Amino acid sequence: MSPVEPALVPAPRTVEEAALGGFPLTPDTPLWAGPGTGTTERWLRSALGPALGLRFPPGTEDTRDGLRLRLDDTLAPEAYRLAVLPGRGVEIAGGGPAGVFWGAQTLRQLLGPDAFRKAPVRPGATRTVPHRIVEDEPRFRWRGLMLDVARHFMPKEGVLRYLDLMAAHKLNVLHFHLTDDQGWRIEIERYPRLTETGSWRARTKLGHRASPLWNDTPHGGHYTQDDIREIVAYAAERHIAVVPEIDVPGHSQAAIAAYPELGNTDVVDTSSLTVWDTWGINPNVLAPTDTTLCFYEGVLEEVLELFPADATGPSAFASSPPSSPSPSFSSFVHIGGDECPKDQWRASDVAQKRIADLGLADEDALQSWFIGHFAGWLAERGRRLIGWDEILQGGLAPGAAVSSWRGYAGGVAAARAGHDVVMCPEQHVYLDHRQDAGPEEPVPIGYVRTLEDVYRFEPVPAELTPEDAGRVLGTQANAWSEVTENQARVDYQVFPRLAALAEVAWSALPAPAERDFAGFERRMAAHYRRLDALGVAYRPPAGPLPWQRRPGVLGRPIDGAPPQR
């Protein structure tokens, strides 16, 4: 790294010291925003301005004592050039609106941790931006975080907060896990019982499913359709696409509890089912009937209205090389497709008749047919299906994409078969997994994944050819919420590791063994102060604070190093 490089996270491609000193920002520093930069202008006025007491009076394109925003079509869509030069003020140029916005996030970091607060702590202070030229662009187009709000509901304000945290780390995809056995979190007007019944459970398992402990307080909640519209609009202002997940055909007991006809009624008394109160793989799956298909088509019709595809950007329907315009990932809909036990289908005369009528080989092929139905249904509406890597079983429709979670193998197989891939292997980037082997970690789940482990994660498997590697859209971290029951617990599991994942997704890093983790730690020392200003209850480098521990709550630790494939 350059000796003048500031403590930026994620690390930019190049930083050049332009001159000694810097440019002072005062309450009267003007702001000029060129065509196409409105989202960044609004963010500067609503976030950075209040934090530092900057009024940003209107400037002009020729302003040399202020801040200028403009588009530059010689840059890639998400690339930016932040120039702070003597006598020229501050200029952020981006290849597209997103590029300008990411440049503004870098400017914020250059201004120190006070820039991450809600109001000035040093009113009237002059803020100096060092004379620098920062040129930067992301390595991957998909840089994501999955929030599981189905197991433990996250109120709308918490989701908006996480969108701000994502933007601060230049992440651009929120994978929104809205439905599961333990709760249905999105209002569907034509099926009101999905939230009236399906969004609440009577009690909740504390810790891993082997734990004897329970919280007997009913748990639940859901987002109204206006809440969803607000979340999507708030994300769009921050150049973040929201990809909803509606789980089928497994992980569906909450829906079956609300509408028993969706389940395998000839095998189990579905009218007796309730929203599930524990964790694991649930045997109650959707019936492969026309009734079920029609029901979920109705669900998805409302989902598509609430999560509109970006009509102004290029389509995400076909793979595109890194040099081409970045696709809009808002055209994706995630349908789950994982962990679907087939026992009920094997015992169901209805399911077996469907297999025979379709001429299918077995129950795995029946699931492939089920997924394929919705892949085609979405494609007819200009949308694109993405699912967990189990959807590869039995073949996958052209245009569908895969979230590779069980390791690298699913992503490798998908890329080789011509499908786009998001790499999120549980052994590496599941943030519910424990961060240390010590006994003080709260509810220890899975393998130990330290900050350094996440920093050395490589999303592109070495065995892929350059052509197949080009189908790796990017990567995301997954924050499952079985053991994260509130904001402080989510923060502890997600941070600081999400900062490491953000750098993996954004920065042009060397091979994992050659990465400068010591340098990243030095930059994180400054970044922790930013997280403090944002009120993030991260895991401290020295280990959990006393109030972050959960003594006596059983987890599910797995010893040893995780498999690499």
mmCIF file of all heavy atoms in Angstrom, residues 152 201-207 212-219 277 485:
data_model
loop_
_atom_site.group_PDB
_atom_site.id
_atom_site.type_symbol
_atom_site.label_atom_id
_atom_site.label_comp_id
_atom_site.label_asym_id
_atom_site.label_seq_id
_atom_site.Cartn_x
_atom_site.Cartn_y
_atom_site.Cartn_z
ATOM 1 N N HIS A 152 -35.854 -14.427 13.478
ATOM 2 C CA HIS A 152 -36.125 -13.348 14.421
ATOM 3 C C HIS A 152 -36.410 -12.089 13.608
ATOM 4 O O HIS A 152 -35.593 -11.684 12.788
ATOM 5 C CB HIS A 152 -34.953 -13.119 15.379
ATOM 6 C CG HIS A 152 -34.936 -14.069 16.531
ATOM 7 N ND1 HIS A 152 -34.116 -15.184 16.571
ATOM 8 C CD2 HIS A 152 -35.647 -14.093 17.689
ATOM 9 C CE1 HIS A 152 -34.316 -15.845 17.706
ATOM 10 N NE2 HIS A 152 -35.238 -15.202 18.398
ATOM 11 N N ARG A 201 -45.231 -16.767 16.338
ATOM 12 C CA ARG A 201 -45.101 -18.084 16.953
ATOM 13 C C ARG A 201 -45.273 -17.939 18.462
ATOM 14 O O ARG A 201 -44.982 -16.892 19.038
ATOM 15 C CB ARG A 201 -43.768 -18.740 16.612
ATOM 16 C CG ARG A 201 -42.528 -17.959 17.005
ATOM 17 C CD ARG A 201 -41.266 -18.741 16.642
ATOM 18 N NE ARG A 201 -40.052 -18.021 17.032
ATOM 19 C CZ ARG A 201 -39.315 -17.261 16.225
ATOM 20 N NH1 ARG A 201 -39.656 -17.125 14.948
ATOM 21 N NH2 ARG A 201 -38.222 -16.655 16.668
ATOM 22 N N ALA A 202 -45.716 -19.012 19.097
ATOM 23 C CA ALA A 202 -46.079 -18.946 20.510
ATOM 24 C C ALA A 202 -44.870 -18.851 21.421
ATOM 25 O O ALA A 202 -44.944 -18.244 22.493
ATOM 26 C CB ALA A 202 -46.916 -20.170 20.889
ATOM 27 N N ARG A 203 -43.770 -19.451 21.020
ATOM 28 C CA ARG A 203 -42.554 -19.429 21.832
ATOM 29 C C ARG A 203 -41.360 -19.626 20.915
ATOM 30 O O ARG A 203 -41.518 -19.875 19.714
ATOM 31 C CB ARG A 203 -42.591 -20.511 22.909
ATOM 32 C CG ARG A 203 -42.626 -21.939 22.353
ATOM 33 C CD ARG A 203 -42.559 -22.976 23.448
ATOM 34 N NE ARG A 203 -42.415 -24.323 22.887
ATOM 35 C CZ ARG A 203 -42.105 -25.407 23.598
ATOM 36 N NH1 ARG A 203 -41.930 -25.308 24.908
ATOM 37 N NH2 ARG A 203 -41.993 -26.579 23.007
ATOM 38 N N THR A 204 -40.158 -19.548 21.480
ATOM 39 C CA THR A 204 -38.949 -19.611 20.672
ATOM 40 C C THR A 204 -37.857 -20.389 21.409
ATOM 41 O O THR A 204 -37.618 -20.152 22.604
ATOM 42 C CB THR A 204 -38.418 -18.196 20.361
ATOM 43 O OG1 THR A 204 -39.420 -17.465 19.641
ATOM 44 C CG2 THR A 204 -37.140 -18.258 19.531
ATOM 45 N N LYS A 205 -37.232 -21.308 20.706
ATOM 46 C CA LYS A 205 -36.085 -22.031 21.255
ATOM 47 C C LYS A 205 -34.941 -21.058 21.514
ATOM 48 O O LYS A 205 -34.610 -20.233 20.658
ATOM 49 C CB LYS A 205 -35.642 -23.110 20.266
ATOM 50 C CG LYS A 205 -34.368 -23.847 20.639
ATOM 51 C CD LYS A 205 -34.538 -24.757 21.824
ATOM 52 C CE LYS A 205 -35.369 -25.967 21.519
ATOM 53 N NZ LYS A 205 -35.384 -26.933 22.656
ATOM 54 N N LEU A 206 -34.340 -21.158 22.696
ATOM 55 C CA LEU A 206 -33.157 -20.349 23.029
ATOM 56 C C LEU A 206 -31.911 -21.169 22.766
ATOM 57 O O LEU A 206 -31.713 -22.225 23.382
ATOM 58 C CB LEU A 206 -33.188 -19.918 24.500
ATOM 59 C CG LEU A 206 -34.081 -18.732 24.869
ATOM 60 C CD1 LEU A 206 -33.972 -18.443 26.352
ATOM 61 C CD2 LEU A 206 -33.700 -17.500 24.066
ATOM 62 N N GLY A 207 -31.079 -20.694 21.860
ATOM 63 C CA GLY A 207 -29.869 -21.425 21.516
ATOM 64 C C GLY A 207 -30.127 -22.453 20.437
ATOM 65 O O GLY A 207 -31.135 -22.417 19.714
ATOM 66 N N PRO A 212 -32.270 -27.040 26.046
ATOM 67 C CA PRO A 212 -33.524 -27.261 26.772
ATOM 68 C C PRO A 212 -34.261 -25.965 27.104
ATOM 69 O O PRO A 212 -35.327 -25.995 27.715
ATOM 70 C CB PRO A 212 -33.053 -27.944 28.058
ATOM 71 C CG PRO A 212 -31.699 -27.343 28.313
ATOM 72 C CD PRO A 212 -31.087 -27.116 26.942
ATOM 73 N N LEU A 213 -33.699 -24.826 26.688
ATOM 74 C CA LEU A 213 -34.236 -23.530 27.101
ATOM 75 C C LEU A 213 -35.234 -22.983 26.077
ATOM 76 O O LEU A 213 -35.068 -23.169 24.871
ATOM 77 C CB LEU A 213 -33.092 -22.524 27.287
ATOM 78 C CG LEU A 213 -31.987 -22.932 28.271
ATOM 79 C CD1 LEU A 213 -30.892 -21.879 28.286
ATOM 80 C CD2 LEU A 213 -32.564 -23.147 29.663
ATOM 81 N N TRP A 214 -36.255 -22.281 26.595
ATOM 82 C CA TRP A 214 -37.268 -21.668 25.741
ATOM 83 C C TRP A 214 -37.567 -20.262 26.232
ATOM 84 O O TRP A 214 -37.486 -19.971 27.415
ATOM 85 C CB TRP A 214 -38.579 -22.484 25.778
ATOM 86 C CG TRP A 214 -38.459 -23.840 25.195
ATOM 87 C CD1 TRP A 214 -38.079 -24.982 25.839
ATOM 88 C CD2 TRP A 214 -38.700 -24.209 23.840
ATOM 89 N NE1 TRP A 214 -38.068 -26.049 24.972
ATOM 90 C CE2 TRP A 214 -38.453 -25.605 23.736
ATOM 91 C CE3 TRP A 214 -39.113 -23.506 22.704
ATOM 92 C CZ2 TRP A 214 -38.603 -26.295 22.542
ATOM 93 C CZ3 TRP A 214 -39.259 -24.201 21.511
ATOM 94 C CH2 TRP A 214 -39.009 -25.571 21.432
ATOM 95 N N ASN A 215 -37.911 -19.406 25.290
ATOM 96 C CA ASN A 215 -38.484 -18.105 25.607
ATOM 97 C C ASN A 215 -39.978 -18.219 25.308
ATOM 98 O O ASN A 215 -40.377 -18.396 24.158
ATOM 99 C CB ASN A 215 -37.839 -17.015 24.749
ATOM 100 C CG ASN A 215 -38.377 -15.634 25.039
ATOM 101 O OD1 ASN A 215 -39.452 -15.481 25.628
ATOM 102 N ND2 ASN A 215 -37.660 -14.616 24.622
ATOM 103 N N ASP A 216 -40.797 -18.120 26.342
ATOM 104 C CA ASP A 216 -42.231 -18.344 26.179
ATOM 105 C C ASP A 216 -43.009 -17.097 25.780
ATOM 106 O O ASP A 216 -44.241 -17.127 25.729
ATOM 107 C CB ASP A 216 -42.806 -18.918 27.481
ATOM 108 C CG ASP A 216 -42.352 -20.359 27.709
ATOM 109 O OD1 ASP A 216 -42.285 -21.111 26.722
ATOM 110 O OD2 ASP A 216 -42.057 -20.717 28.862
ATOM 111 N N THR A 217 -42.290 -16.018 25.481
ATOM 112 C CA THR A 217 -42.961 -14.817 24.978
ATOM 113 C C THR A 217 -43.245 -14.990 23.489
ATOM 114 O O THR A 217 -42.336 -15.316 22.724
ATOM 115 C CB THR A 217 -42.081 -13.573 25.177
ATOM 116 O OG1 THR A 217 -41.777 -13.425 26.563
ATOM 117 C CG2 THR A 217 -42.776 -12.322 24.667
ATOM 118 N N PRO A 218 -44.477 -14.810 23.037
ATOM 119 C CA PRO A 218 -44.736 -14.902 21.586
ATOM 120 C C PRO A 218 -43.825 -13.951 20.811
ATOM 121 O O PRO A 218 -43.543 -12.832 21.251
ATOM 122 C CB PRO A 218 -46.207 -14.500 21.468
ATOM 123 C CG PRO A 218 -46.793 -14.846 22.797
ATOM 124 C CD PRO A 218 -45.716 -14.550 23.806
ATOM 125 N N HIS A 219 -43.379 -14.422 19.662
ATOM 126 C CA HIS A 219 -42.458 -13.606 18.849
ATOM 127 C C HIS A 219 -43.006 -13.480 17.434
ATOM 128 O O HIS A 219 -43.528 -14.447 16.864
ATOM 129 C CB HIS A 219 -41.072 -14.243 18.780
ATOM 130 C CG HIS A 219 -40.134 -13.478 17.887
ATOM 131 N ND1 HIS A 219 -39.409 -12.401 18.320
ATOM 132 C CD2 HIS A 219 -39.837 -13.612 16.562
ATOM 133 C CE1 HIS A 219 -38.688 -11.907 17.322
ATOM 134 N NE2 HIS A 219 -38.941 -12.635 16.245
ATOM 135 N N ASP A 277 -41.533 -23.383 16.228
ATOM 136 C CA ASP A 277 -40.906 -22.638 17.308
ATOM 137 C C ASP A 277 -39.465 -23.055 17.583
ATOM 138 O O ASP A 277 -38.851 -22.600 18.543
ATOM 139 C CB ASP A 277 -41.729 -22.770 18.601
ATOM 140 C CG ASP A 277 -41.953 -24.220 19.027
ATOM 141 O OD1 ASP A 277 -41.283 -25.128 18.481
ATOM 142 O OD2 ASP A 277 -42.815 -24.451 19.903
ATOM 143 N N GLU A 485 -31.310 -12.525 18.443
ATOM 144 C CA GLU A 485 -32.690 -12.156 18.713
ATOM 145 C C GLU A 485 -32.949 -10.664 18.751
ATOM 146 O O GLU A 485 -34.107 -10.241 18.829
ATOM 147 C CB GLU A 485 -33.148 -12.782 20.038
ATOM 148 C CG GLU A 485 -32.497 -12.190 21.282
ATOM 149 C CD GLU A 485 -31.124 -12.767 21.603
ATOM 150 O OE1 GLU A 485 -30.584 -13.543 20.784
ATOM 151 O OE2 GLU A 485 -30.583 -12.431 22.670
#
